[in-house]
Amino acid sequence: MKISLVSDKGLEEVKRFLRPNERKCVPLIFRMDEKKSEVYVLRDESDKICGVIVFSRFGHLLPYFSNLSSLSEKQKNQIMLALAEFCNLLGDRKLFCIVGERKSAEFMESAVLSGLSKHPMNFVHYNLMEKTQPSVFCTKKELEAAKNVEIVVGTLEMRSEIFELQKAYELEEVIVQGAVFDEDASRILLNQALSKGLVYLLKADGKIVSKLTVNAKSDNYVQFGGIFTRPEFRGNRFAKILLDYVAGKYINSGKKISLFVKKSNEPAKKLYARCGFEQIGEFKICYY
């Protein structure tokens, strides 16, 4: 087993390797396509790719390894030795988190512990979901709520008002116990999303009450995230109206829709089920 940095010319081979499992790797592929992150491949003795690791400038590490469950202990140990070499390449660079399909994330977590002696400060388990069915027909309450709303694409000119909602979302859904909210980083990422037209807003009586962000895109998938409604406006089906609208837009353009949701977030899981999503896998984020 050997691990190496991929040049831009080698990215197409990497994408061919990932394509059969694209729906599990949307964030990884998105970072790779941006060409602002380092891409590493793990190759076996026959020089075939058996794993991909993307390391972003913000310290996000996104791994995917194929067929982990069918590998022998000897093969797993060989991969672990190669990943120890990768950890040496990282050196003292800041590792913020590991993000990915659960088995790949946990394998990478073990490698970081072995190679860098770093334990995650915290971790969160998610269900990976894909929209496979039409949304449940709107109820009378949803139809009434929809009469007084407007859905718009967020712009940089609206960033101050949107940031209030983004901060509330991160404090409630993202920041793990023991971590501190990084306002500067949050503003940078929000501004990037706004500049690309990836933030959708629902306004009720002129006030922004719900948001949805397109977190990642690949050839065939769009992955949603950051779905959030102000607490005082919950119960009005605003998140469902927004999600149905944005999902319909991308489905009409030929894309499939995925998202991941905390395993512990029962209200959100029920919402996504009503919007036609079903679980297709598991995700994990380990924070350092």
Side-chain angles (χ1 to χ4, degrees):
M1 297 285 182
K2 61 181 180 180
I3 194 161
S4 59
L5 184 64
V6 180
S7 67
D8 287 350
K9 292 181 180 179
L11 292 179
E12 189 53 44
E13 180 189 9
V14 177
K15 291 189 76 170
R16 287 197 299 270
F17 164 75
L18 294 171
R19 196 163 289 133
N21 291 288
E22 180 183 353
R23 65 183 185 174
K24 297 180 180 180
C25 306
V26 179
L28 186 157
I29 295 170
F30 182 65
R31 298 278 183 153
M32 189 173 71
D33 285 345
E34 285 186 315
K35 298 184 178 179
K36 294 179 180 179
S37 302
E38 297 171 7
V39 181
Y40 296 84
V41 292
L42 182 68
R43 295 181 182 273
D44 62 19
E45 294 82 357
S46 62
D47 207 39
K48 290 183 179 179
I49 297 175
C50 57
V52 178
I53 303 170
V54 172
F55 188 70
S56 81
R57 55 185 173 147
F58 294 107
H60 297 85
L61 200 161
L62 299 91
Y64 179 73
F65 306 106
S66 61
N67 303 318
L68 279 176
S69 58
S70 63
L71 296 179
S72 67
E73 285 304 312
K74 180 180 178 180
Q75 290 171 315
K76 289 181 180 179
N77 288 335
Q78 289 174 335
I79 294 176
M80 198 62 70
L81 288 173
L83 292 180
E85 180 184 343
F86 168 76
C87 290
N88 288 332
L89 292 174
L90 289 184
D92 295 329
R93 286 187 289 176
K94 180 181 179 181
L95 172 60
F96 177 69
C97 65
I98 296 173
V99 183
E101 178 268 334
R102 181 181 62 80
K103 290 182 180 179
S104 294
E106 290 179 345
F107 199 76
M108 194 72 236
E109 179 187 351
S110 297
V112 168
L113 177 59
S114 176
L116 296 175
S117 299
K118 289 186 176 181
H119 292 268
M121 179 183 69
N122 213 322
F123 53 83
V124 183
H125 289 279
Y126 297 88
N127 289 345
L128 178 63
M129 306 185 78
E130 180 177 340
K131 185 171 173 63
T132 58
Q133 301 292 332
S135 183
V136 173
F137 187 74
C138 290
T139 65
K140 183 177 180 180
K141 185 174 184 178
E142 289 164 1
L143 291 172
E144 286 297 320
K147 291 180 180 179
N148 300 311
V149 304
E150 176 187 13
I151 296 174
V152 299
V153 178
T155 65
L156 285 169
E157 289 72 25
M158 305 162 67
R159 58 190 162 193
S160 294
E161 186 178 1
I162 298 171
F163 181 72
E164 293 179 14
L165 201 57
Q166 179 66 25
K167 181 178 180 179
Y169 159 71
E170 292 189 31
L171 289 173
E172 183 173 319
E173 291 293 331
V174 179
I175 304 301
V176 295
Q177 185 177 1
V180 177
F181 174 66
D182 188 334
E183 182 169 327
D184 291 339
S186 179
R187 287 186 184 276
I188 289 171
L189 293 174
L190 175 61
N191 289 346
Q192 288 177 350
L194 289 171
S195 67
K196 296 175 183 178
L198 299 179
V199 181
Y200 292 84
L201 308 167
L202 184 144
K203 291 184 175 184
D205 297 323
K207 182 179 179 64
I208 298 173
V209 299
S210 294
K211 64 174 281 292
L212 178 155
T213 302
V214 174
N215 279 351
K217 294 180 180 181
S218 60
D219 290 346
N220 299 295
Y221 279 84
V222 173
Q223 190 169 91
F224 292 167
I227 302 167
F228 186 77
T229 299
R230 294 182 188 275
E232 64 269 28
F233 288 92
R234 292 174 187 172
N236 292 295
R237 308 293 195 270
F238 289 149
K240 182 177 183 297
I241 293 168
L242 179 60
L243 181 54
D244 282 343
Y245 173 85
V246 182
K249 174 183 175 179
Y250 282 103
I251 289 171
N252 288 340
S253 69
K255 295 287 189 179
K256 298 177 182 179
I257 312 297
S258 68
L259 52 80
F260 51 89
V261 57
K262 283 182 180 178
K263 284 184 171 292
S264 59
N265 193 340
E266 293 299 330
K269 288 192 288 186
K270 290 179 181 179
L271 165 66
Y272 301 144
R274 282 179 53 79
C275 291
F277 287 80
E278 67 176 1
Q279 183 177 349
I280 58 169
E282 295 178 280
F283 241 63
K284 186 175 181 180
I285 302 180
C286 304
Y287 294 94
Y288 290 84

